[in-house]
Each structure stands twice: as C-alpha cells, then as structure tokens.
Amino acid sequence: MYKKNSQFIRYFCNFTPNLPTPHQITHGVDDHLLKLCLEQCGKIKARQVFDEMPQRISQAFNACKVIHASTLKMGFGLNGQLGNAILDLYAKCGNAGYANTVFERLEMRDVQGWNSIMSLYLRSGLLDRVVELFGSMRNSGVVPNPFTYAIVLSGCARMMLIEFGKQVHCDVIKMGYMCHTFCEGSLIDMYVKCNSLGDARRMFDPLCRPSLVSWTAMITAYVQMGLLDEALKVFECMQSLGCVPDHVVFVTVISAFVNNGRLDKARDLLTQMPFPNTIAWNVMISGYAKNGNEAEAINLFVNMRKAGVPSSRSTLGSVLSAIASLKCLNVGLPVHGQAIKQGLDHNVFVGSSLLNMYAKCHKPESARQVFDYLDQRNIVLWNAMLGGYVQNGFADEVVELFLDMKDGGLQADAFTYTSILSACGYLKWLDFGSQLHAVIIKTNFESNLFVSNALVDMYAKSGRLVEARQLFETIEGRDNVSWNAIIVGYVQVEEENEAFGLFRRMMSDGMADEVAMASLLSACANLKNLARGKELHSLSVKHGLATSLYAGSSLIDMYVKCGVTETACEVFYRMHNWSVISMNALIAGFSQDNLEEAVKIYKLMLAEGLCPSEITFANLLDACHGPCGSNLGRQIHCLLLKKGILYDDGFLGISLLGMYMDSHSNADAGKLFLEFPERKSAILWTSMISGLSQNDCHKEALELYRGMRSQNVLPDQATFASILKVCSFLTSYKDGTEIHSFAFRSGFNSDVLVGCALIDMYAKCGDVGSSVKVFEEVACKWDIILWNSIIVGLAKNGYVEDVLKIFGELLQSHVYPDEVTFLGVLSACSHGGKLSEGRHIYNLMVNQCGIQPRHDHCACMIDLFGRWGFLEEAENFIEELEFEPDAKIWASFLNACKLHGDDARGRKAAEKLINLDPHNSSAYILLSSIHASSGNWSEVDSLRRKMKEMGVLKFPGSSWIDSMEDKVVPSSQ
C-alpha cells in the first residue's frame, strides 16, 4: 500500500516543510498525521496578532486538506483520534462544508467530535444549529463533558435563551460539573448576558475560589450595565484574593473606562498590567484619539513601540487618525514606513487611514500614490480618496476618480454621492449635478441626510437657490449641516435678509450653530453692516456662542472691518480660548493705525504658545508705516528668513515688498525682489510695478514691466491695470497703446480693472474717442468704477454733454452711482455752465440716493454757482451747510468773487480762508489785490506785514486758488 502511494507521499512531503521522508512515513504514518494535525490546531489556537491570523488559517486549511487526503488514500478512515483531529482542524479553520463532511463520515462520533462541530457553528453565529446538535448528541447517548456545556451555554447567552439555559444548568448539576471552571464561568456569563444579574450573583457569591473565567464574567456584567465602580471593586477584590487577572480582564476593564471617558483611570490600569499586549495598547491609543487627545495617542504609540509590542492594523489606524487630526505629516511618514515594514500598507483599514492622513495634511498626491498601490480597492477606499480630493479642493480630480470608479463597476453609496456633489457645487457643474440628482432618486438615496445636504449645497453654490430651498424644506430631521448649506447659499448671492430669516428659524429650532453665525457675520463684515452685526452679536450672547472660538473670531473680524476695534478687543478678551485666527483678526484691525497694539497681540500669541501663521506676519507688515514701522518690518524680514518660510509661496515676500515700498525704501524692495529664487509670478512683478508707481518712480516702473516681458512672465489683469496707470502719469500714449494691444491678445481687454485703466490712460493722453470705445467694448458694466472712469475722463476733457448722456445711461442700467460719480458729473456741470442740471444732480445725490455730500461736492457746487455769477446763491449755499466749511470751499467762493469783482464777499471769503489756512499765500495775495483795487493801501501794507510775521512766502505762478479748477475734478477710483 505504501509503495502504491509513494507518489502522493512525495507530494505531501514537498507541501509540508517539516514532514519526514517517505521512508519514515511508512512507520507509524497515522501517528505522524495525527501529530501534524494537532500541531496545526495548536498554531491557530495560540494567541497572536489578529492581522497574522488569516495567513495562519489559510496555511492550516491547506495542510488539513493534504492530511485528510492522505488518510483517505492510505485507507486509514475517519476513526479515533485522527478523525476527530481532522474534524477539529476544519472547524477551527471555519470551513463548515469540509467539517460537516468529516463529521457525517466519522465511524464513531464521540464527545470530542460533537464539541468540534458545535464550536464551529457557535463561532459562525449559527446558534440555533448549536442547540439542535446538542439535542441530537443527547439523543444519541453521548455524554456531554464540561466543554460541551460551555459551548451550549455560550449559545444560550448570545440568543438570550435563559429558560433553556436554566435547563442546561440543571443538567450540569446532575452531571456534577458545577465546580468545573468552564461550566462555572459559562453559567455566570449566560445569566449576565440574559440580564439576570441576580442569578449571576447567586452563582458567583457562594464560590470559595472563583475561577478566572468567573471573575471575568462578573466584571463584564458590571461593565455592560455601566456600573464601572462596581466592576472596579470586583477587579480589586479579585486581586486581593490572589487571583492574577489575565489580559482579557485587564482589557475589559480598561475598555470600559476608556469608553466612559475616564482615560486617567484607564491609564493607571495599563501601568498595572504586566506586559500589556497589543489589544490593551490599541484600546488606550484609540480612546485618547477619539476623545480629542491626539498628542497623547501618538505618545502612547511611541511608548508601545519602545516596549517592543508589535502594532496591528487597529494600532496603525488609530494613530494615523490622531496624526491626521493634528496634521503632523512628519510623524505620519514614519508610521507609514512601519506599515510597509509590517506588510500592512495593503490592508484596507490601514490604507484608508493613510489616505485620510495624507488628505488632512494637504498631500493629495501622496494619498493618490497610496491608493494606486493598494491591490484591492473597495468602496471605503474609493470614498476615502474622493473625500481627500474634496478636502483639498481638487474638484476636477474628484469627478475623474468618480468616473473611473463607475467604469470599474463599483456601485456608489451615500458617501460617494456626497463627495461628487460637493465637487459639482465647487465647479458649478449644474448639469452634471442635476443628472446625479436623477440617479440618486432612482437609487433611493435622496432620503439619506448626507446626500440631501450635499444636494442642497450643490444647488446653492451653483446659484440655484429656488431648487436648493425646495430640497431643504423637504428634508426630514434637518441637522446643522442642512441649515448651514442653505444659509451660506443665500449669503453668497448677497440675500442677507433671507439668510438672516433662516438663521432665526434655525435658532428657534434649538440649533445654535457657529458655522451659520460665522457666515452671517462674514457677510456683515464685507457689507460693513454694523447694525446687523450687533444684532447677531446679541443672538450669539443669548445662545452662548459669543465666547466660543469660531463665532468669537468671526465677531472680532466683523467689528474690525466695520472700524469698531474697541468692541473687537472686548469680544477678544471675553473669549475662553484664543486661536491664531482670532488673534490675526485683531492684529489686522490694529494694523491700520495702532502698530503698538498689533505688536502687543503678537507677543500675547507667543506667550500663549500659539504658532504665528503667514497671515500673522502679513498683517504685522501691513501695520509697518513710518520709521518705527520700517524698523519692525526689517525685524520681521529677519525672522522670516530664520524660519525659512519667506519664499514658500511668495505671499509673505509680496507683503514685505509692500512694506518697503510704503516706507519709500525702493532700494531695499529691489534687493528683496532680486533675492527671490524664481521670479515667474505675475503677482510679484505687479507688486514691484505698483510700488514704484505709488512712489512716483513711473519711468522705473515702465522699465521693470519691460523686464517682466523679457523674462516671458505673462501679466495678469492687475499688472495691466498698474502699468496702464503708469502710462497715464507719463501721458505715454505710445506705450499705452502697445500695452492695450497686448492686453487684447491676452484676453484681458474685457476685464473691468483693465478697462478702467485703459479709459483713464486714453483720457489723460487726450484720446477721448478711444476711452469711449473701450467703455463700449466692455460687455459687463455692473461695476460703478467703470462708469466713474469714463465720466471723470470725459469731464476732465470738457465733454459735458457726453458726461450727462452717460450719467443718464448709468441711471437706466440699475447700477447705483456713488460719491465719485456725482463729483465727476458736478465738475462737468461746473465747467460747462450747466446750472440747472447741476442743481438737479445735487438734489438727486442727497435726496434720492441718500449720499451725504462731502466737502469737495460742496466746493464743486459753489464753483458752479460762482463761475457763472450766482454769488448770492453760492453764499446762501455755504451758510446752509450742516458742517463747517473748509479751506477748499472758501477758496472756491473767493475765486468766484475775484472773477466777478465782488469785493465785499471776496474780503469775507479771504478772511475765512486766512483763518483756516494762515500759511497759504494765495488768500493773502487775493485779499491784497481786492484792497489795492479799492485804493485801500493801508490794508495792503497791513497784510504784507502780517505775511512777514507769519513767515508766509509768496510763490508767483503757484497759487493754489488758481489751480482750483483742477482740484475739484476727481480722479477715477
């Protein structure tokens, strides 16, 4: 027989590394097969890292099939210990098909065989089959042993069959197994899981020396009922009686305290545990990570590695989650390396955690590399990758990945639709989003809250507020995300009243939310609507949000942008906690006029242990005006160089350039500009060009623009606007037309900023026809700055009728005129003698548009009245002013009096002007001229003496009054 099967024996030896040679098998081969089978059972039974278990089971199953085949081919049959061992090995491998086959073919079914098949069904969750088999076993006359009862009682516990369990309890008593450890512990466990704590206590209390299983069962009972202190008492009593807790007991109690948030107590128990295993460490790391103490979770992981305890997929998943929350990429990279070393980087759980970590650390490219490296990608991994792209604003990549996923045959779930709809909203792809909506309805996902919220957000961001609102009103069980999506949508389209009304509804539903509050405060800040902002402040106080981090920071930002820095400070100092964002908002407020306070908040930020951001330094640089500010700016420059963050994205470098230009340190700005490693950014060049222009270095700015072009850096709209402004100052028509031509080729000619700059350039160069042509070619005329540019340009060149015509078109276009618009039109009326039109336009400004007239508006009206001889009306206009007239107003009136020879009114105007501006020679000269024309030479001598005493010098040909006509004509915004 052995010769006949020699080929199989050789195959068997090759398959199993430690098998003896064919010659050795011929002696006691059945004993050898039994030994091999028991060894494989032992390997599965041994405690090991869970991640290694599938490999062990796979190896054991393959070995079992070979052993099983050999017994059949060698004619041993399935009897005795060998048959039971094969059955037990199949059962431990979880293969019900093979186990059932062996069980049915056992020549003699003893208690060991019955126990093996029942334990298989117990582990598989087929609990009814366990009870059924127990009945068959009893009917067949096989006597159960303690292990049999333990299996059946465990099944009763999980099915909560307390009545049947009590019958088994009676059977255990009859068989005399009550003192057996397995029966004792299983009975207590059964009563505990059937919520019969009294029966469990009656079982446990009489025991003189309870087994470890019994202690564990009682501790578990108290844990399950939430009686942690009672569980701890039992645990301590167990130790006092000399029973050493095993890892299962320790982990049970530690898990209970972790789940209850009592992490310090759990940490104490971990230190008491001799040689904590992987599971204990995992419980602690996961607990700290989930309770918001990510730094301590990472620290525990480090200690675990130092202790030499191997990490599992659960360990790596938890610690990667903590790293993602803290965005600590430098810590995450070694953990990724550990995953690769352990071969867990292919694991779905670890893979999704790695994707999340890289996404939260703003490394979507690295996340994609992990994703592409994984062998098997289930829907969880696809969703993790999609979510990572969404978090980082990679909307196009979200759509592309979603289409790849669909091509791969995977069915989208709620999380998938949430991500793709978010991308559609970002891209404003309404058509694609609407198609997805139809698919969502067909697949019955519309009722899912996450998907419904994403649909509302998609429609709102695409500007379809009607559809968004209809969907919002149909959502059942709306959460904060639902409200925020629709409120933010209305804020984005500047329907603040509707957004505010929804916010009130949200509050009345008991959903006080920081995100919605912050969105509305942001709208108030942008619109400088202080009254509405104060109303929101009151609501935030009422609902306890004013001192919270997010809403508090938004309140500070709102008050700062509305110019109420003192109130912003009050909000800041009432907050329980400060963040870099809240401090940045306050520094931005002080940066306008209080450098000392801005620096004070910066020092407070450092004292609080907060790390300043790029925005912090940019805000501080904005505050650096004058000599003191320049010194601070240089110190910040040194600090940024030391930190190595100056050239990361150019943002801070541009702020530094602005600081040096504001301080008129053109040379320092030029040196900094040349230090940039790559000067390919149009923003960088534009900063230099606009800075030179503001410092009256127009020729240098034009030369720098030429250098920009020689470096093949493409200008943007801001560049064109800045350099065209330079051409306006230089009245360089040739350069201006060339730049216009290049802007046209670059597609920026229709941009509003570029259009305004072109209109202004052509107007100042005297080519009004080209200004008008540029204005007409701009398709979208919704910006008042564009209208102001053409009105002011025409006014300066004396085209009064054209100014009035365009002003009429403006009023018909539903664009609201502003202060500059009216100043330009009034100036044109003044120069063109359009008295009645001027009166009408002034009344329109004050009474219909509600614009409070400025001093220059009033000076323009006085010039209009005075220029054409209506001096009495001009005088009455001055007397009716609600504010004290300034030098410009009296100068306009004085100039008109001189023009029409009204000495009496001229003396009054000149005296007022001298009182307001005693060092201006023009008023003295005009008043002296009036006295001289009337022959009053003593007054002329008196004025000359006064000028000498005051140190007023006469500069011929430079009279400020003579240039009044230029002063009242505004420049475009």
Side-chain angles (χ1 to χ4, degrees), residues 6 121 125 207 322 466 532 567 607 630 735 825 857 964:
S6 60
Y121 285 117
L207 299 174
V466 174
R532 178 59 59 83
T567 310
S630 178
D735 289 312
V825 179
H857 291 109
M964 265 305 299

PDB file of all heavy atoms in Angstrom, residues 6 121 125 207 322 466 532 567 607 630 735 825 857 964:
ATOM      1  N   SER A   6       3.379   6.041  -3.089  1.00  0.00           N
ATOM      2  CA  SER A   6       4.666   6.719  -2.940  1.00  0.00           C
ATOM      3  C   SER A   6       4.675   8.090  -3.615  1.00  0.00           C
ATOM      4  O   SER A   6       5.286   9.042  -3.122  1.00  0.00           O
ATOM      5  CB  SER A   6       5.792   5.851  -3.520  1.00  0.00           C
ATOM      6  OG  SER A   6       5.540   5.616  -4.896  1.00  0.00           O
ATOM      7  N   TYR A 121     -20.206  25.948  14.680  1.00  0.00           N
ATOM      8  CA  TYR A 121     -21.447  26.695  14.468  1.00  0.00           C
ATOM      9  C   TYR A 121     -21.573  27.862  15.448  1.00  0.00           C
ATOM     10  O   TYR A 121     -22.151  28.903  15.119  1.00  0.00           O
ATOM     11  CB  TYR A 121     -22.647  25.763  14.571  1.00  0.00           C
ATOM     12  CG  TYR A 121     -22.807  24.885  13.349  1.00  0.00           C
ATOM     13  CD1 TYR A 121     -22.714  23.489  13.440  1.00  0.00           C
ATOM     14  CD2 TYR A 121     -23.029  25.444  12.102  1.00  0.00           C
ATOM     15  CE1 TYR A 121     -22.842  22.688  12.325  1.00  0.00           C
ATOM     16  CE2 TYR A 121     -23.161  24.654  10.976  1.00  0.00           C
ATOM     17  CZ  TYR A 121     -23.068  23.273  11.084  1.00  0.00           C
ATOM     18  OH  TYR A 121     -23.191  22.498   9.953  1.00  0.00           O
ATOM     19  N   GLY A 125     -21.895  31.873  14.288  1.00  0.00           N
ATOM     20  CA  GLY A 125     -23.121  32.592  14.607  1.00  0.00           C
ATOM     21  C   GLY A 125     -24.389  31.821  14.328  1.00  0.00           C
ATOM     22  O   GLY A 125     -25.489  32.374  14.433  1.00  0.00           O
ATOM     23  N   LEU A 207     -19.108  30.955  45.727  1.00  0.00           N
ATOM     24  CA  LEU A 207     -17.856  30.331  45.305  1.00  0.00           C
ATOM     25  C   LEU A 207     -16.725  30.720  46.243  1.00  0.00           C
ATOM     26  O   LEU A 207     -16.505  31.907  46.527  1.00  0.00           O
ATOM     27  CB  LEU A 207     -17.500  30.748  43.875  1.00  0.00           C
ATOM     28  CG  LEU A 207     -18.519  30.358  42.778  1.00  0.00           C
ATOM     29  CD1 LEU A 207     -18.108  30.953  41.444  1.00  0.00           C
ATOM     30  CD2 LEU A 207     -18.597  28.835  42.676  1.00  0.00           C
ATOM     31  N   ALA A 322      -5.145  60.047  14.612  1.00  0.00           N
ATOM     32  CA  ALA A 322      -4.677  61.119  15.502  1.00  0.00           C
ATOM     33  C   ALA A 322      -3.726  62.061  14.763  1.00  0.00           C
ATOM     34  O   ALA A 322      -3.799  63.287  14.896  1.00  0.00           O
ATOM     35  CB  ALA A 322      -3.980  60.515  16.725  1.00  0.00           C
ATOM     36  N   VAL A 466     -33.613  78.574  -5.640  1.00  0.00           N
ATOM     37  CA  VAL A 466     -35.005  78.097  -5.627  1.00  0.00           C
ATOM     38  C   VAL A 466     -35.022  76.585  -5.425  1.00  0.00           C
ATOM     39  O   VAL A 466     -35.736  76.050  -4.554  1.00  0.00           O
ATOM     40  CB  VAL A 466     -35.726  78.485  -6.936  1.00  0.00           C
ATOM     41  CG1 VAL A 466     -37.112  77.863  -6.976  1.00  0.00           C
ATOM     42  CG2 VAL A 466     -35.808  79.995  -7.067  1.00  0.00           C
ATOM     43  N   ARG A 532     -26.600  95.152  11.739  1.00  0.00           N
ATOM     44  CA  ARG A 532     -26.948  93.732  11.665  1.00  0.00           C
ATOM     45  C   ARG A 532     -25.916  92.894  12.428  1.00  0.00           C
ATOM     46  O   ARG A 532     -26.262  91.902  13.078  1.00  0.00           O
ATOM     47  CB  ARG A 532     -27.024  93.312  10.198  1.00  0.00           C
ATOM     48  CG  ARG A 532     -27.341  91.853   9.937  1.00  0.00           C
ATOM     49  CD  ARG A 532     -28.667  91.390  10.518  1.00  0.00           C
ATOM     50  NE  ARG A 532     -29.821  92.085  10.049  1.00  0.00           N
ATOM     51  CZ  ARG A 532     -30.466  91.822   8.912  1.00  0.00           C
ATOM     52  NH1 ARG A 532     -30.012  90.906   8.087  1.00  0.00           N
ATOM     53  NH2 ARG A 532     -31.554  92.490   8.595  1.00  0.00           N
ATOM     54  N   THR A 567     -14.578  97.476  20.373  1.00  0.00           N
ATOM     55  CA  THR A 567     -15.527  96.391  20.654  1.00  0.00           C
ATOM     56  C   THR A 567     -14.922  95.042  20.287  1.00  0.00           C
ATOM     57  O   THR A 567     -15.161  94.040  20.967  1.00  0.00           O
ATOM     58  CB  THR A 567     -16.835  96.603  19.868  1.00  0.00           C
ATOM     59  OG1 THR A 567     -17.292  97.933  20.074  1.00  0.00           O
ATOM     60  CG2 THR A 567     -17.901  95.625  20.316  1.00  0.00           C
ATOM     61  N   ALA A 607       3.156  84.180  23.870  1.00  0.00           N
ATOM     62  CA  ALA A 607       3.061  83.803  25.284  1.00  0.00           C
ATOM     63  C   ALA A 607       2.059  82.676  25.504  1.00  0.00           C
ATOM     64  O   ALA A 607       2.232  81.843  26.407  1.00  0.00           O
ATOM     65  CB  ALA A 607       2.657  85.025  26.117  1.00  0.00           C
ATOM     66  N   SER A 630       9.057 100.717   9.837  1.00  0.00           N
ATOM     67  CA  SER A 630      10.092 100.192   8.952  1.00  0.00           C
ATOM     68  C   SER A 630      11.094  99.342   9.724  1.00  0.00           C
ATOM     69  O   SER A 630      11.525  98.280   9.254  1.00  0.00           O
ATOM     70  CB  SER A 630      10.808 101.352   8.255  1.00  0.00           C
ATOM     71  OG  SER A 630      11.846 100.865   7.434  1.00  0.00           O
ATOM     72  N   ASP A 735       3.332 103.865 -25.419  1.00  0.00           N
ATOM     73  CA  ASP A 735       3.418 102.682 -24.553  1.00  0.00           C
ATOM     74  C   ASP A 735       2.024 102.185 -24.183  1.00  0.00           C
ATOM     75  O   ASP A 735       1.779 100.977 -24.120  1.00  0.00           O
ATOM     76  CB  ASP A 735       4.206 103.017 -23.286  1.00  0.00           C
ATOM     77  CG  ASP A 735       5.687 103.222 -23.566  1.00  0.00           C
ATOM     78  OD1 ASP A 735       6.280 102.367 -24.256  1.00  0.00           O
ATOM     79  OD2 ASP A 735       6.243 104.232 -23.107  1.00  0.00           O
ATOM     80  N   VAL A 825     -19.748 114.267 -12.323  1.00  0.00           N
ATOM     81  CA  VAL A 825     -20.825 114.903 -13.081  1.00  0.00           C
ATOM     82  C   VAL A 825     -20.972 116.371 -12.671  1.00  0.00           C
ATOM     83  O   VAL A 825     -21.140 117.264 -13.522  1.00  0.00           O
ATOM     84  CB  VAL A 825     -22.159 114.150 -12.878  1.00  0.00           C
ATOM     85  CG1 VAL A 825     -23.290 114.819 -13.643  1.00  0.00           C
ATOM     86  CG2 VAL A 825     -22.023 112.703 -13.324  1.00  0.00           C
ATOM     87  N   HIS A 857     -17.766 117.891  -2.917  1.00  0.00           N
ATOM     88  CA  HIS A 857     -19.040 118.068  -3.617  1.00  0.00           C
ATOM     89  C   HIS A 857     -19.540 119.507  -3.454  1.00  0.00           C
ATOM     90  O   HIS A 857     -19.991 120.150  -4.427  1.00  0.00           O
ATOM     91  CB  HIS A 857     -20.106 117.106  -3.085  1.00  0.00           C
ATOM     92  CG  HIS A 857     -19.863 115.668  -3.406  1.00  0.00           C
ATOM     93  ND1 HIS A 857     -19.492 114.760  -2.450  1.00  0.00           N
ATOM     94  CD2 HIS A 857     -19.918 114.977  -4.581  1.00  0.00           C
ATOM     95  CE1 HIS A 857     -19.351 113.575  -3.005  1.00  0.00           C
ATOM     96  NE2 HIS A 857     -19.596 113.681  -4.303  1.00  0.00           N
ATOM     97  N   MET A 964      -7.587 125.785  -8.606  1.00  0.00           N
ATOM     98  CA  MET A 964      -8.787 125.171  -8.031  1.00  0.00           C
ATOM     99  C   MET A 964      -9.578 124.362  -9.039  1.00  0.00           C
ATOM    100  O   MET A 964     -10.189 123.346  -8.729  1.00  0.00           O
ATOM    101  CB  MET A 964      -9.699 126.259  -7.447  1.00  0.00           C
ATOM    102  CG  MET A 964      -9.488 126.474  -5.958  1.00  0.00           C
ATOM    103  SD  MET A 964      -9.680 124.976  -5.016  1.00  0.00           S
ATOM    104  CE  MET A 964     -11.362 124.565  -5.388  1.00  0.00           C
TER     105      MET A 964
END
